[in-house]
Amino acid sequence: MPSLPFYQVDAFANAPFTGNPAAVMPLDAWLDDRMLQAIAAENNLSETAFVVATPDDPEADYALRWFTPAVEVKLCGHATLASGHILLAGDLIRFRTRHAGVLSVRRVGAAYALSLPAWTMTPRAMPELAQALGGTARESYWRDGGYTLFLYPDAASVRALTPDFAALKAHGDLMLIATAPGEDSDILSRVFVPGGGIDEDPVTGSAHGLLAPFWAERLGKNAISAVQASARGGRIGCSLEGDRVILTGICRTVIEGRFFL
């Protein structure tokens, strides 16, 4: 029976059983998209990262794609960090992606640093989404590609949210970011992607590619400490370097094995 290598990694995990679990599956060559989606659904994690070595690409070491249990996504930070954790042999590894360009992961002591594009957002009123999220958001923002951000007055308001996931799912494959000033960190957030098969994401690297520029302007500094307040929870170091966001975090391998087709 054919099989594939399988790793499960907790990314942005400062302690056991925290962070965001990702599957990392190195392939010799790309499988059919339907097979990739079926494997991700079987794994039933926020994302499964599939990687294929690209020895003829002068700018990247691997090609990388990410699937939730329901859809392929354009950008996933935590599964990229997890892929670097599994595959990094030296100090730097580069991944070519279909929609986010070349992403890199480098080793920083016991942690890893992931370079993502810094994405800005535009103010937009979204009353139906705000109502479905709950609470009283002070401001709301949009970025093409289905990214939304809602600013709340304090961390307690974000922690108390009980979204109407059925109502949110009806709006399609959106990422909904709820954020506020932090308690023991600069910022706090929760992230919901019910249209992508994930009601609440444990720790979302790609969301911090939006959160870091958003909060850097408001806080007047380029280095920000972040907490994502899901049930598992996770901590992310964020810094702006030109048009890039650098996210730092710890990864822990929790499962190694074979996936039988």
Side-chain angles (χ1 to χ4, degrees):
M1 182 181 298
S3 65
L4 303 170
F6 174 90
Y7 304 88
Q8 185 169 317
V9 177
D10 290 346
F12 300 112
N14 288 69
F17 310 114
T18 65
N20 198 350
V24 179
M25 301 187 68
L27 307 174
D28 293 329
W30 290 113
L31 303 174
D32 179 86
D33 284 8
R34 291 173 295 178
M35 177 64 75
L36 297 177
Q37 187 63 73
I39 292 170
E42 182 74 14
N43 290 338
N44 199 31
L45 299 170
S46 293
E47 266 86 12
T48 295
F50 297 99
V51 290
V52 174
T54 54
D56 297 327
D57 187 337
E59 298 179 338
D61 306 295
Y62 289 87
L64 170 62
R65 296 171 68 184
W66 316 273
F67 288 77
T68 77
V71 297
E72 182 173 7
V73 297
K74 295 179 179 179
L75 177 62
C76 177
H78 85 281
T80 305
L81 198 77
S83 298
H85 168 70
I86 292 299
L87 297 169
L88 186 59
D91 294 325
L92 179 73
I93 191 168
R94 303 161 301 167
F95 298 100
R96 182 171 297 283
T97 70
R98 292 187 167 190
H99 302 284
V102 174
L103 308 178
S104 64
V105 176
R106 57 185 172 87
R107 200 182 306 274
V108 183
Y112 298 90
L114 165 64
S115 174
L116 297 177
W119 285 350
T120 57
M121 308 193 79
T122 302
R124 177 184 291 188
M126 296 173 280
E128 291 184 1
L129 290 175
Q131 181 178 359
L133 270 179
T136 305
R138 289 180 170 175
E139 303 170 21
S140 55
Y141 296 82
W142 168 269
R143 180 181 175 87
D144 288 347
Y147 299 94
T148 68
L149 185 150
F150 297 82
L151 176 63
Y152 288 83
D154 51 48
S157 299
V158 174
R159 290 186 181 276
L161 293 176
T162 55
D164 181 340
F165 292 119
L168 293 174
K169 189 174 183 178
H171 290 272
D173 184 17
L174 299 178
M175 175 182 288
L176 302 114
I177 306 166
T179 188
E183 299 153 323
D184 61 347
S185 61
D186 290 317
I187 67 171
L188 178 140
S189 67
R190 292 173 67 189
V191 178
F192 310 99
V193 200
I198 307 162
D199 283 348
E200 181 165 6
D201 199 33
V203 190
T204 315
S206 58
H208 288 79
L210 299 157
L211 285 164
F214 179 87
W215 280 107
E217 180 180 354
R218 282 155 181 77
L219 298 176
K221 58 181 183 179
N222 285 342
I224 297 167
S225 60
V227 165
Q228 192 157 328
S230 64
R232 289 178 64 92
R235 291 184 175 270
I236 304 175
C238 308
S239 62
L240 284 180
E241 295 184 5
D243 62 352
R244 307 293 291 180
V245 172
I246 310 302
L247 306 181
T248 57
I250 294 172
C251 290
R252 299 169 182 269
T253 303
V254 293
I255 300 172
E256 295 184 15
R258 306 292 300 183
F259 185 108
F260 290 94
L261 300 176

